Amino acid sequence: MRSDATSPPFAKGTATRQRILDAAVARFASQGFRDTTVAAVARDAGVTAPAVHAYFGSKQELFHAAFEYDVTPVLEALYGGGGPGRTLALDSTAAQHGLVPRVAAQFALHPLAMRVLEGNEPEHTADLMALPAVIEAHDRLTGRVAADQQAGALRDDLPAGALADSLETLVFALLLGPVQMSGENSDPGRRWAIAAVISRGIRPR
């Protein structure tokens, strides 16, 4: 294994960028956009503030990059990941694979995504929801819904886009609501019940 001192410049640059990104996620998640400074992120990452700007540009661009990085696994859990033929796995009995438990598990690991989707950065929400990773994830979810509709796994009396919008809203609202965030989202029985309600509402009648 190469030491940092002998690593090629590209490898060093990639590692530095990742350290800055990790530090930014932690700072923005705990302190929010307004109270986070580039200097604090740089200090946490072990670099200078000019280095942060060199990698990410402005503080807002750093915030966007940090959110996009942190929210991607949550969004992948929402649309299920895997190949194009994989279904959304909505069954309430699939505790570790079902839609709601899958997203809940990712929220626990991604605090900046949780902060933003809880509505704690309202001045930035519109811009963050327009980031490429978010748009791409929604498009993938819509495609997955359309495929499941064609396969007879989901009701087809609603447009795929509308059903995808509803799924996103319901899952995030249920998982980020006050009751779930008070700790009950760790209760498998409650998660299964939520999944069952969602599943019943969108399956073919």
Side-chain angles (χ1 to χ4, degrees), residues 4-58:
D4 188 61
T6 59
S7 296
F10 178 78
K12 288 183 179 179
T14 301
T16 300
R17 187 181 190 280
Q18 187 62 53
R19 288 204 314 274
I20 295 171
L21 208 50
D22 289 339
V25 167
R27 279 283 177 176
F28 285 129
S30 62
Q31 295 184 244
F33 178 83
R34 181 172 299 178
D35 293 335
T36 294
T37 65
V38 171
V41 172
R43 185 169 59 250
D44 294 345
V47 300
T48 64
V52 175
H53 288 299
Y55 277 95
F56 291 98
S58 67

Side-chain angles (χ1 to χ4, degrees), residues 73-172:
V74 177
L75 298 174
E76 288 177 348
L78 181 64
Y79 68 73
R86 182 172 171 181
T87 64
L88 287 169
L90 292 161
D91 291 344
S92 60
T93 54
Q96 71 274 35
H97 301 300
L99 178 63
V100 172
R102 210 166 54 220
V103 177
Q106 288 301 320
F107 267 131
L109 301 174
H110 299 284
L112 180 56
M114 182 181 293
R115 177 184 180 87
V116 170
L117 294 173
E118 277 185 301
N120 291 317
E121 297 287 350
E123 305 91 343
H124 304 279
T125 300
D127 288 340
L128 294 172
M129 293 300 103
L131 290 172
V134 179
I135 299 299
E136 180 184 350
H138 180 74
D139 289 346
R140 289 188 180 185
L141 177 61
T142 301
R144 187 63 53 80
V145 167
D148 282 1
Q149 286 177 317
Q150 290 183 343
L154 297 180
R155 57 188 297 179
D156 60 4
D157 57 329
L158 294 172
L163 199 51
D165 288 342
S166 300
L167 270 174
E168 284 180 343
T169 301
L170 282 169
V171 171
F172 288 151

